[in-house]
Amino acid sequence: MTPVDSLPAPRTVSAADTAWQLRVAGLGHVYGVLTDGAVERTGSLAGTAKDPVTGSIVAAWDVDFEVATGEALGLIGESGSGKSTVMRCIAGDLRPTVGSIEFRRRDGSVEELLDMPPARRRALRVDDLAIVYQDPAEGLDMRISAGGNIAEPLTAAGWRHFGRIRERGAELLARTDVPVARMDDLVREFSGGMRQRVQLAKALANQPSLVLFDEPTTGLDASVAAGVLDLIRNLIDDLGLAAVVVSHDFGVIEMLTSRCVVMHHGRVVEQGLTDQLFEDPQHPYSQRLVAAARA
């Protein structure tokens, strides 16, 4: 765990670090029973993630990607494509049916997340891995203040000095463009965009190595969403985070990521450099997403 009332030393990016921070291999998750033929009866070519025989949902299958330290990778697809299922498997909210998820810790050691006991997995969510949900209510306690929400991961990491906790909270709120004067206001009194900024501040409390962003601007007005996206992009660049950005909007993916993975009916149909995919998508589904972003 993080030392009491202190932050981990900033990471120095070595050649080994830039190989990968997160590695996902052969990941699959099925809602329901996985039976013979279910994989073959579903997917992009079949035009459905639902097995017509059993009714089970093959939400994601055979998903592979890596994310390097300091890199932002996008997962893009429409609702039902499987992108959020993959993200929740990485976060530990779902247990994959098959596959592997490896994570490089601050000390350079590599751990298989699926083999971690629950207590160690919870500690990882405190120290090294954070998630920013589409709905801020999933990532925040709406009954307490903005400062109280930021204090939660700090106290879980061992912080005990009230003054230092408030100092760290004020620093994070300022960094995410939340007025420090509102630190003691209940987050339920905040606008949607301001709640998302508080959620960002909370996610960054213990300087995580990896942050997962699940549709971070969905439901926000266009002008507010643009401000939040600009803030996220600056934070990723300034802090050297490894990030996975989940979105249905190619415009969001283009703004935040350097590489992206396109998912359709639970399968990866295309992946590569974001700018190249945006300029010259090869798969028909990718072409439709790009056309929608340009409309």
Side-chain angles (χ1 to χ4, degrees):
M1 298 289 287
T2 308
V4 174
D5 290 358
S6 65
L7 291 166
R11 297 194 65 196
T12 55
V13 180
S14 68
D17 286 329
T18 55
W20 56 268
Q21 175 77 50
L22 175 76
R23 180 160 63 187
V24 174
L27 188 71
H29 183 78
V30 178
Y31 295 97
V33 179
L34 177 61
T35 59
D36 290 343
V39 171
E40 292 74 18
R41 291 189 293 266
T42 59
S44 183
L45 291 177
T48 182
K50 183 175 182 179
D51 181 6
V53 175
T54 65
S56 295
I57 306 295
V58 184
W61 199 259
D62 199 24
V63 177
D64 297 294
F65 60 81
E66 297 177 356
V67 187
T69 300
E71 178 187 34
L73 176 89
L75 290 181
I76 183 168
E78 296 169 316
S79 178
S81 64
K83 60 190 188 303
S84 290
T85 294
V86 171
M87 187 275 297
R88 288 181 179 271
C89 287
I90 297 169
D93 296 338
L94 286 176
R95 176 80 183 181
T97 305
V98 295
S100 171
I101 305 172
E102 292 180 301
F103 183 80
R104 193 186 303 276
R105 300 298 298 258
R106 293 181 189 278
D107 61 6
S109 62
V110 174
E111 294 193 70
E112 169 56 65
L113 298 191
L114 304 183
D115 292 339
M116 281 186 178
R120 190 164 177 80
R121 190 64 185 265
R122 288 193 295 271
L124 179 75
R125 285 285 294 266
V126 170
D127 289 339
D128 253 356
L129 188 156
I131 181 168
V132 175
Y133 292 98
Q134 172 181 336
D135 181 358
E138 283 195 74
L140 297 172
D141 186 335
M142 307 300 285
R143 302 166 298 177
I144 64 176
S145 68
N149 272 279
I150 297 171
E152 181 184 319
L154 293 173
T155 55
W159 290 53
R160 294 293 179 265
H161 191 285
F162 179 74
R164 293 193 182 117
I165 290 173
R166 282 190 67 84
E167 182 180 346
R168 177 63 175 160
E171 174 192 343
L172 289 163
L173 290 175
R175 182 151 209 166
T176 53
D177 296 335
V178 178
V180 176
R182 300 200 64 184
M183 178 186 287
D184 297 318
D185 290 357
L186 299 179
V187 290
R188 69 171 179 240
E189 299 172 356
F190 285 50
S191 66
M194 199 67 74
R195 289 177 185 177
Q196 198 63 292
R197 292 172 186 272
V198 174
Q199 191 183 186
L200 276 169
K202 179 180 178 180
L204 298 173
N206 289 314
Q207 293 184 346
S209 302
L210 174 69
V211 180
L212 310 175
F213 296 92
D214 184 18
E215 300 276 10
T217 58
T218 298
L220 300 180
D221 291 341
S223 60
V224 175
V228 171
L229 284 175
D230 192 52
L231 173 62
I232 291 173
R233 181 177 60 184
N234 289 336
L235 289 171
I236 290 173
D237 291 342
D238 292 347
L239 301 178
L241 299 171
V244 178
V245 181
V246 170
S247 181
H248 67 280
D249 186 341
F250 223 124
V252 171
I253 296 297
E254 184 189 27
M255 182 173 183
L256 297 181
T257 72
S258 57
R259 290 190 302 117
C260 70
V261 174
V262 182
M263 295 191 65
H264 188 222
H265 292 308
R267 307 298 197 277
V268 174
V269 296
E270 189 170 1
Q271 59 180 305
L273 296 176
T274 302
D275 56 355
Q276 291 182 2
L277 280 175
F278 194 73
E279 290 301 321
D280 187 25
Q282 299 299 303
H283 193 275
Y285 180 67
S286 304
Q287 293 169 359
R288 293 201 300 271
L289 291 176
V290 170
R294 288 174 170 162

